[in-house]
Amino acid sequence: MDDSTGTRTINAAVAVVRVGHPRRLALVTVLSFEALSVGMTGSGSGSGPDSGTETDALSVTIVDGYVDEPAHFGVPPYISTYPRYTAGALVDAGVPREQITYHTIDGLRDDPDRWRAVDDADLMIYLGGMTVPGKYVGGTPAEPDEVRKLAWTASGTSLMGGPVKFGVGDENAGATETERQDLDFDFVAKGDVEAAVHDLVESGFEGFNNRMRDIDEVSRWAQAGAFIVEQHPNHPEYLIAELETSRGCAYRCSFCTEPLYGNPSFRPPPTVVGEVDALADYGVKHFRIGRQADILAYGGDGEAPNPDALRQLYSGIREVAPNLETLHLDNMNPITIVNWPEKSREGIRIIAEHNTPGDTAAFGLESADPVVQEENNLNVTAEECFEAVRIVNEEAGWRPGGSDDPTVDATTGDAHPRRLPKLLPGINLLHGLKGEREETYRHNREFLQRVYDEGYMLRRVNIRQVMSFDGTDMSDTGAEIANEHKKLFKRYKQQVREEIDNPMLERVVPPGTVLSDVHLEYHQDGRTFGRQLGTYPLLVGIPGERELGRTIDVAVVDHGYRSATGVPYPLDLNGASMDELTAIPGVGDRTAGDIVVNRPYESVTDAGLETAIELDEFVTTRPFEHAD
């Protein structure tokens, strides 16, 4: 190109790259990365925006197609580690921040003009992959056809990475085969995508490889890439950053992709705390320590708890982000609690001391059937999982400000609105595993019923069907068993929703429970639905169509199978609408009409309402304001 035209000069080379069909070759014009490595040394510590190399002119577009792994989540409102670490690796290799553009797949769908960034970039990086099935409210993961479109649209070099390397089906659903079809990218990072990006930019084509990054690299890249959150469409108010403490797993369940990362490798507490500090500087207030197979094993030998490491981690996060609004976790292995009960109790108490209410520890029971447990190398029995449920309830099932809150004087307990419990277990059940039979469904129902009957709480029960990935023990069986049991699975799932989920939800979130900062997301059937930010947040429907994107405090008044009905907190009898009043159980149209006609009231008692729930916990009467 001629510099006099105002366009930058690019040293280009024509490379033969295998794309699309394995027997088809195409000539692709690509940036000459060899020139970019001039003056760079070692791990990239000598590179940067002022290094004088051609990385200064390199334009990069990162497209986030979202991820969902057994120990990693990145569907909005979550942002995973992948785009942040990739951005940090690019900066470490010498690419200036202003040359890095980040888009979510939903952002490309909403604004077709954003596809220009895909087309114009010298390097386009796609990040995505779903290795567990799920249903999502905040965003829609990229489908294979969209991923192919990204590769074909990119005029520069294209690279794909993330858990998509394990495979991709025709849809993001359970009971599917996931053998990866060729998605037409120039490069597929079969190791760590951030390491591949760093090496490709620093050393050119010959530098590309499938290596894994080390602790020092991820510690640098995690902080250097924090700036990318500002380009997320949910930033800053409705964005929660997934934090990685470790990867890999000491156990080898047949279906799971996490062991493919190897044995657990832990990041030291100061590196995670430093990442939180950097993210907080860019306006992030919501965090989830979700990228690990077992939070209790953090900082130990991969199996036994290390309470001291947990204390350093949690207290350090609170110190650098004192104004955080969410601090949750995800995975906790119940076998750790059973094998090391006292150390686990101490670790759970540390977590409950520092986290925010509504936290959930996902327990990978997967199946209560001993036959399925044996054939799939599952590491916890139903009896052991029940014991773990009991311990978490005892140590962390208290409500802030309640009479059971260990941090307040018992005589002043219950002086505050009822809140969600600090930390509860959630149960993961997986169907379609080897050895599954009709009795498997009975074993699972009996386990859940026992938890309920003995008075304990579960925040949620996650029931799904297996996805089969190459490299796992399930690859030989595939999704055959799951498909054979589709009808049985559907009946059983509905039964659990009706007989367990509904009464359990009422126990966890009794009427009058206050959910603070509920983000209003969508309208349906004359109601507005929203959720708090956090791990497995409760979906709550509020009467009326309210302005979306806002946050309000909500008091729960009724329950469904997986969601609740709420009203604004506090609900003012002198200003409440008919829909809000009739949402209260026991208040019908006639009673609500009488309340409206006879307003104003000096107190809630003056209204003479007779309901099965305590109105004083969430209803008030504000002075009636007359028009001038």
Side-chain angles (χ1 to χ4, degrees), residues 277-555:
D277 194 9
L279 288 166
D281 285 344
Y282 286 102
V284 178
K285 296 181 179 180
H286 306 274
F287 304 92
R288 186 176 81 155
I289 306 172
R291 182 64 181 101
Q292 71 278 312
D294 181 9
I295 185 62
L296 287 180
Y298 172 67
D301 61 4
E303 297 183 47
N306 184 343
D308 288 340
L310 284 172
R311 186 175 289 105
Q312 290 179 51
L313 175 68
Y314 272 86
S315 63
I317 289 174
R318 280 294 196 171
E319 183 176 349
V320 299
N323 297 318
L324 65 79
E325 296 177 8
T326 304
L327 181 57
H328 281 184
L329 61 89
D330 190 9
N331 297 305
M332 183 182 289
N333 198 330
I335 197 63
T336 304
I337 300 174
V338 175
N339 287 343
W340 294 276
E342 294 310 313
K343 283 189 174 182
S344 294
R345 284 181 182 272
E346 183 180 356
I348 292 166
R349 287 194 295 268
I350 291 168
I351 292 169
E353 177 187 352
H354 294 90
N355 71 351
T356 54
D359 202 357
T360 306
F363 280 4
L365 172 61
E366 313 306 350
S367 180
D369 184 348
V371 171
V372 176
Q373 292 166 2
E374 176 68 24
E375 292 199 26
N376 295 274
N377 301 317
L378 304 185
N379 61 54
V380 63
T381 67
E383 187 63 35
E384 290 168 333
C385 190
F386 181 84
E387 176 66 9
V389 167
R390 181 180 70 83
I391 289 175
V392 172
N393 270 260
E394 290 175 353
E395 298 297 342
W398 49 273
R399 301 174 191 271
S403 58
D404 56 351
D405 184 344
T407 67
V408 300
D409 188 329
T411 60
T412 62
D414 292 329
H416 305 280
R418 180 185 290 138
R419 302 290 181 176
L420 287 169
K422 262 310 190 85
L423 174 68
L424 293 177
I427 299 296
N428 293 340
L429 295 172
L430 184 61
H431 289 271
L433 295 173
K434 291 184 292 184
E436 182 175 286
R437 54 206 174 126
E438 190 168 345
E439 291 92 329
T440 302
Y441 296 85
R442 176 177 57 81
H443 281 292
N444 288 351
R445 289 196 307 272
E446 288 176 351
F447 169 81
L448 296 173
Q449 191 65 54
R450 181 188 176 193
V451 171
Y452 181 79
D453 289 346
E454 298 206 19
Y456 297 117
M457 292 184 288
L458 299 174
R459 171 56 196 90
R460 65 100 180 96
V461 179
N462 188 9
I463 301 174
R464 53 198 172 91
Q465 288 184 297
V466 71
M467 297 175 76
S468 174
F469 289 93
D470 189 32
T472 69
D473 290 346
M474 278 296 296
S475 60
D476 293 335
T477 305
E480 181 179 341
I481 297 173
N483 285 315
E484 287 178 357
H485 293 169
K486 280 273 191 181
K487 290 183 180 179
L488 180 60
F489 175 80
K490 187 175 181 180
R491 273 198 319 271
Y492 146 87
K493 191 173 183 179
Q494 183 63 26
Q495 187 176 7
V496 171
R497 297 296 179 238
E498 294 173 357
E499 298 178 5
I500 302 296
D501 281 340
N502 185 261
M504 183 65 77
L505 187 60
E506 187 167 359
R507 177 178 292 172
V508 174
V509 194
T513 301
V514 175
L515 309 177
S516 58
D517 296 325
V518 172
H519 292 255
L520 305 182
E521 296 181 305
Y522 65 94
H523 297 139
Q524 182 177 313
D525 300 328
R527 292 193 294 172
T528 303
F529 287 84
R531 299 174 298 170
Q532 295 176 299
L533 280 175
T535 300
Y536 309 109
L538 176 64
L539 183 67
V540 57
I542 307 149
E545 293 195 352
R546 302 169 188 275
E547 180 184 350
L548 301 182
R550 294 177 53 228
T551 62
I552 64 171
D553 293 345
V554 174

Side-chain angles (χ1 to χ4, degrees), residues 72-154:
H72 200 177
F73 191 58
V75 181
Y78 285 82
I79 181 170
S80 74
T81 65
Y82 289 109
R84 290 153 30 210
Y85 294 1
T86 299
L90 288 165
V91 171
D92 198 37
V95 181
R97 292 177 181 177
E98 58 270 19
Q99 292 292 104
I100 303 171
T101 302
Y102 168 78
H103 291 293
T104 65
I105 190 66
D106 281 314
L108 295 180
R109 292 174 185 136
D110 294 341
D111 185 359
D113 286 344
R114 295 179 182 176
W115 282 86
R116 293 178 184 172
V118 175
D119 186 11
D120 294 343
D122 297 320
L123 174 62
M124 190 280 291
I125 304 165
Y126 170 73
L127 306 170
M130 322 299 285
T131 62
V132 292
K135 295 182 179 179
Y136 312 100
V137 176
T140 302
E143 296 290 349
D145 285 347
E146 292 176 309
V147 180
R148 293 186 185 97
K149 181 181 177 182
L150 286 166
W152 286 108
T153 300

